[in-house]
Amino acid sequence: MVDSAETIQRTEDWRLARCGWLGMSSASDVLAKGQGITRTKCLRRIVAELLTGKPMETYSNGHTERGNLQEPHARDSYEDITGALVEQVGFIKHPTLRCGYSPDGHVGTDGGVEIKSVIPTVQLETILKGGYPSEHKAQIQGSLWISGRKYWDFCSWSEDMPEHLRTYISRVERDEAYIKNLAAEVAVFLGEVDALFAKLMEGK
């Protein structure tokens, strides 16, 4: 059973619900080799959130803004193609670890969907390669881990492509070996977060 923060995504309540928690959108940072810069930055960001009580994820660019604007169109297209209804939810928390995920949607009782809005060249590359881009594996498998669901659909949307190429969907099944390793790495990472937080609070 997972704990769902019943908040609308990208609102202030949603940001506060995620504050001090590891989201699965950062799962690939946890898996970075050794004590790499990416992993360290992620760890320090979460500790800073715990210390201040304020969300530190404020980065945005043209790609993320475009994605936010186009996501409803992509979701409608996904529903039209699959015949499935997408349930929009907030931040879903792991029952025992300080981590969670914010899905683009749950599908029925067994599935979920991750929607990416991309430029045409990226859409073309994804279609030609098949499957789904490896850079999204940690996020999707992490969502499958915490949710306990059976599958996740990767949906890539590119508004400027011809209609028959505008929406690309690839079903992702659970990779139990990958999930087991990810869960172990997340536990270690969060232990490091707790240790650093405790050290910094010693002088309080």
Side-chain angles (χ1 to χ4, degrees):
M1 180 66 69
V2 293
D3 178 26
S4 173
E6 298 299 335
T7 56
I8 299 173
Q9 290 194 24
R10 303 181 187 93
T11 62
E12 187 61 23
D13 285 344
W14 173 75
R15 292 185 179 90
L16 289 172
R18 299 167 73 241
C19 184
W21 288 65
L22 172 69
M24 288 301 101
S25 58
S26 298
S28 60
D29 297 341
V30 174
L31 297 177
K33 297 294 184 180
Q35 298 297 318
I37 294 175
T38 301
R39 188 179 188 278
T40 299
K41 286 178 66 176
C42 180
L43 187 150
R44 291 178 178 174
R45 173 182 58 77
I46 293 173
V47 171
E49 290 181 344
L50 291 172
L51 290 168
T52 65
K54 295 181 179 180
M56 299 292 151
E57 284 188 324
T58 58
Y59 176 76
S60 179
N61 59 26
H63 292 301
T64 56
E65 291 171 4
R66 183 192 68 245
N68 293 341
L69 289 172
Q70 294 184 358
E71 184 177 312
H73 302 296
R75 185 169 55 247
D76 288 345
S77 178
Y78 171 85
E79 290 182 333
D80 288 342
I81 291 171
T82 64
L85 293 178
V86 177
E87 177 192 5
Q88 297 181 63
V89 296
F91 183 62
I92 312 297
K93 296 179 177 180
H94 188 282
T96 59
L97 296 173
R98 199 168 55 252
C99 62
Y101 70 104
S102 294
D104 289 327
H106 282 162
V107 180
T109 58
D110 292 331
V113 61
E114 182 64 33
I115 298 170
K116 302 296 184 184
S117 178
V118 301
I119 60 177
T121 52
V122 173
Q123 182 80 335
L124 181 59
E125 182 178 3
T126 301
I127 291 171
L128 292 175
K129 283 187 175 180
Y132 73 107
S134 60
E135 60 263 31
H136 302 305
K137 183 171 185 176
Q139 180 181 9
I140 291 176
Q141 290 295 333
S143 298
L144 286 166
W145 162 45
I146 297 174
S147 69
R149 289 174 176 246
K150 295 179 180 179
Y151 71 87
W152 222 257
D153 282 339
F154 172 80
C155 176
S156 183
W157 160 270
S158 188
E159 186 174 47
D160 294 329
M161 290 290 273
E163 185 175 354
H164 69 291
L165 299 173
R166 194 170 297 155
T167 307
Y168 169 84
I169 301 170
S170 177
R171 177 146 300 185
V172 183
E173 307 289 345
R174 293 175 64 90
D175 183 335
E176 298 298 349
Y178 187 96
I179 288 173
K180 182 178 180 180
N181 179 68
L182 176 60
E185 292 292 337
V186 166
V188 170
F189 177 84
L190 291 175
E192 294 172 9
V193 168
D194 290 341
L196 180 55
F197 176 74
K199 179 180 179 180
L200 292 167
M201 291 296 289
E202 284 177 359
K204 182 178 179 181

